[in-house]
Structures are given as C-alpha cells and as structure tokens.
DNA sequence: GTGGTCTAGACCACC
DNA sequence: GTGGTCTAGACCACT
C-alpha cells in the first residue's frame, strides 16, 4: 500500500493518513482482516514520527475501520465496516455543505457537481472490480 | 443575515464565517453589491474577536467573493463570482475524495451519495427562485 | 479542585486524572459550565507533562463530560452529563464482574458488598447536598 | 471450563485469564482441589503464548487462589480461599470508586447501581446452588 | 518486536 | 495565552 503525504498541506499528517487508509479500504486495495504495518514500520517508511502514525491508527480504531489485535497486530476490521449512522450522515452533510455552496457560487451546475462526485466515486471503486 | 457559530466545533470560527457567507451568497440571500456589516459591527453582533471577522473577510476578498471599499464598506462582489478555475477544481477534488471514500466504506451506494449532494444543492438554491 | 496522583500506581496518570475529574463532577465540586484549568496550567500544577493532561481532557471530551470551548477554554459540560447508554452498562458490567467475583471468592456476603458500594456512593454524593 | 478471551480488549490477556478463573471458582464451576490444565495445555487450547498463561497462574498463586504441585500439577487451592484483608478492601475500594463516580455522573440512582451489583452477584453464585 | 505511556521541547493556528 | 500538531527519545507491559 502506497501512502502519499503532502508535508506542505495544512491538513494534519495524521488526518492525511486516515484519509489514505480509508481510501485504501474503499478501493479494495486493503481488504478486511488484512494486516497493516506496525506503527513503527509505517512511521519509518513514510518518514514521520511514530506518534503521528499512532494517532491515525487510534482514530481509525475508534471509528471501527481497524482493529488492534493483541497477537496479529493492526488489521483492517475483518467484519465489515462501520454502518451509516445518523451521526455520520450529519457529519457528512456539514462537510459537504460548504463545498456545494462554493460550487454554486462559482457557477457549477448541479449536473457538473454530480458528475464530479460520480467521477470520484467510480475512480475509487474501479480497482475493486478488477 | 443570520450567522450561526458552533464554538465547540473543530472548524475555526473564521472558517465557519467564510462558509456561512458563501452559503448566503449561493442561496441568494446575499445579492451582488449588497453591503455586509463592518468588521466591528459583525464582531460585536456575533460576539467574536475583531481579528476573527477580519480574517474571514480577508479570505473572502482574496477569493473574489467580496469587495472592501474605503467608503461603502464591505459589499458582496457586484460583478459576479469567481470562476471555476483549475485550481478550484483540484481543491474541490481533494476535499471531496475523503468524503466519498468514507461513504463507500460505510456502504453508501453511488445513488445514495449523489442524492445527498443533490439534496444539499437544491436546499441551498431553492430560496433563490422565490 | 485538588488532584491527587499516585505516580507509583500501575494506573496510567491520564486515567487517574480522568477518574478524579469525573469524581469531582459526581461529588458536585465541579459544576456544569465551570471552567477547568488550561492544559498547561494543570500540567504544571500537578507536575506532569502537558500531553498527559491533554490526553485526559481528550478522553473526557469524547465521553461528553467536558467541552472545549473556543473562547472560554475547557469547561465542564454545561448541559448535563452523558446518558446511561447500553454501551455504558455493558462496560460497567465487565468492570464490575471481576471485582464481584473476587469478593465472592474471599467470602464477602452479598450484603457486605452492597454495603461497600453504598458507602462509596454516599461518600461521593454527600458533599453535594451541603 | 470454557475460557473466553477478547483479543481486541485493552485488558491484558493474562488479566482476562485471571478474571475468568476467579469467576470460575466464585461460581463453583471450579471446586477446591480440582486440577487445572497445565500451562502448556491451556496455552495451546486457547491459542496464546506460554508466558501469558504462566503469568496468570503465577498471579493466582500469589493471591492464594491456586497451588502449583510438582506432581499433581496446578490445582484450585484446596483449603479455602484467601481472606478479606485490609489490603484487599483498599484495593477493592480504589477499583470501585471510579465506577461508582461515573455511574453517579450519568444519573444512575443508588438503587439502580446496587441492583446491578446484586444482579452480578446472583448471576455468578446461582450455579453454585445447583 | 508490539503497542502504550510519558517526557521534553518546539512550532503553529486560533482568538 | 489557548489548544493542536509534530518530533525525538525513553521506558514499560504484553506476547
């Protein structure tokens, strides 16, 4: 699994890590039950401090994306992913709203925007079917 | 124009301000050329620091959403909104990607997601036609 | 609010902090909306690293005991405490079971045990009524 | 005797083992003098490391719950259980306090809490009378 | 060797 | 001045 970090980004590194791993799961490159590198290994591989990786893993664990198994180490949650809760939908709504609003201001039509979202969705999931 | 701030949110207040004003423009509640409250007034109205409002206005000016006249004060940009640049599309893509990926992980179908985005789009623009 | 830490205990310092603050709330010494010391102040007061205090605060925030207000700093959650969820009852059950089992082994009667629990309950809440 | 371990739990496996065996004794499923599986057998049965089982047995022996004979192997202590010492009561108090405090915060009444403890007590001891 | 905990010290974003 | 983030380095508990 390839991790790409942007050290200049204002998005915290641990957040970028969380995003990349979630995208890895969404794309099927990371499968349920599959082991993830240890905190220390991943940290040295991508050249960040182990605490940064640790924070990312902790957040992923809290949300149910991964498990910290006392023997196998860190693995992608083997029994499916966290469900679509009401909290999640609210969070998603609050994240999407400013993006949609800005798109409207700049004159993107509804179809333009939907096509963009669809394109992203398909790009992520396409590797799944291969 | 009503501004709603969440002091507990992890989104900075100035960012919340920017979002709310952009959404106000997108929804048509704020029209091109319409005056906005002065930094000082808005700050005291919503109970935040002057710097916070100032930073929000500065960002909005940089992106071309508002103009700051020496005399007329702050107004919504009268000559249309900033265009859909390539930079904007890239930024939008990077913002949408983790949201879409998380939706996929949790089992939202493409249609579910598109319907959500469409719903937000319509909710924001509906007041426009009235 | 007096914090007592046992540096020799095998209970992590941040956990001891969480316990003490929860007990402070339970006893009424910490009231809803009341401000808590800043991470740095508390850390220097009790002689531990600020990260340790930070972790305790983060956990308390996650469980809804405190709020991190962008202006007022850290305060005891003003609108009542987290509810008795099913998750909480399960966690409580799993914590109590080994304690009860050990008490049984050592020959404590049911009444002995209940009296002990009642005594603790009253000791914590007594200051409330004063 | 069935042992149930949770590899995801933050409770160490050896502690879970100690708890389960103590609960086995408390419930009467393990009777004084009854033999326990050897370190080696138990370890392979439940799929954990030898050291882990060994540590659990060592702790149980220290507290007087089991005896380790050179020949007979490991047996539940035949001559009654460890007594209710002052040290034990203090330890119990320190374990119960944060649990009780959290229950109070979340609005459990004294009777709710006592009923929960009583329920656990009876659930463990009920098999004894059969 | 693994994750968990703690420390020390630094920089930045926010207010 | 506040919390948030990141680094570096250390020790320990667990397996």
């Amino acid at each position: 699994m390839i991790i790409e970090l942007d050290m200049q980004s204002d998005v915290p590194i641990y957040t970028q890590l969380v995003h990349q791993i979630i995208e890895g799961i969404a794309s099927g490159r990371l499968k349920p039950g599959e082991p993830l590198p240890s905190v220390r290994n991943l940290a040295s591989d991508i050249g960040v401090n182990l605490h940064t990786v640790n924070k990312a893993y902790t957040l992923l664990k809290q949300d149910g994306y991964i498990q910290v198994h006392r023997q196998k180490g860190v693995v992608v949650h083997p029994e499916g992913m966290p469900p679509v809760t009401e909290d999640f939908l609210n969070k998603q709504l609050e994240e999407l709203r400013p993006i949609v609003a800005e798109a409207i201001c700049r004159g993107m039509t509804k179809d333009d925007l939907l096509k963009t979202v669809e394109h992203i969705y398909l790009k992520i999931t396409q590797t799944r079917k291969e």
Side-chain angles (χ1 to χ4, degrees), chain A residues 16-40:
Chain A
Q16 294 185 47
L17 269 173
V18 167
H19 287 167
Q20 300 249 337
I21 291 173
I22 289 178
E23 195 176 323
I25 297 173
S27 72
R29 276 170 294 159
L30 292 175
K31 295 188 198 320
E34 184 169 336
L36 261 54
S38 75
V39 172
R40 282 174 175 73

Side-chain angles (χ1 to χ4, degrees), chain A residues 26-84:
Chain A
S27 72
R29 276 170 294 159
L30 292 175
K31 295 188 198 320
E34 184 169 336
L36 261 54
S38 75
V39 172
R40 282 174 175 73
N41 276 344
L42 184 50
S44 78
D45 279 3
I46 60 183
V48 302
N49 191 279
L50 86 173
H51 291 107
T52 308
V53 176
N54 197 27
K55 180 154 188 180
Y57 276 6
T58 301
L59 290 170
L60 287 165
K61 186 173 67 175
Q62 277 171 9
D63 280 355
Y65 286 103
I66 65 174
Q67 277 186 344
V68 178
H69 196 281
R70 292 192 94 84
Q71 297 171 313
K72 290 183 247 168
V74 182
V75 299
V76 178
H77 201 299
E79 294 164 19
M81 286 291 110
V84 177

Side-chain angles (χ1 to χ4, degrees), chain A residues 13 43 74 103 106 108 112 114:
Chain A
I13 296 176
V74 182
R106 287 180 186 257
M108 278 183 85
D112 283 344
L114 292 180

Side-chain angles (χ1 to χ4, degrees), chain A residues 71-128:
Chain A
Q71 297 171 313
K72 290 183 247 168
V74 182
V75 299
V76 178
H77 201 299
E79 294 164 19
M81 286 291 110
V84 177
T85 63
E86 197 174 336
D87 278 358
F88 167 71
L89 286 174
N90 281 332
K91 194 197 63 154
Q92 192 189 51
L93 185 73
E94 291 311 312
E95 287 170 351
L96 284 171
R97 229 164 66 179
I99 301 175
V100 174
E102 192 169 3
I104 293 170
C105 277
R106 287 180 186 257
M108 278 183 85
T109 67
K110 182 159 65 81
D111 282 351
D112 283 344
L113 185 60
L114 292 180
K115 251 191 280 181
T116 301
V117 174
E118 186 174 19
H119 177 251
I120 298 171
Y121 192 102
L122 294 174
K123 198 177 113 199
I124 294 176
T125 53
Q126 69 179 1
T127 59
R128 244 182 166 166

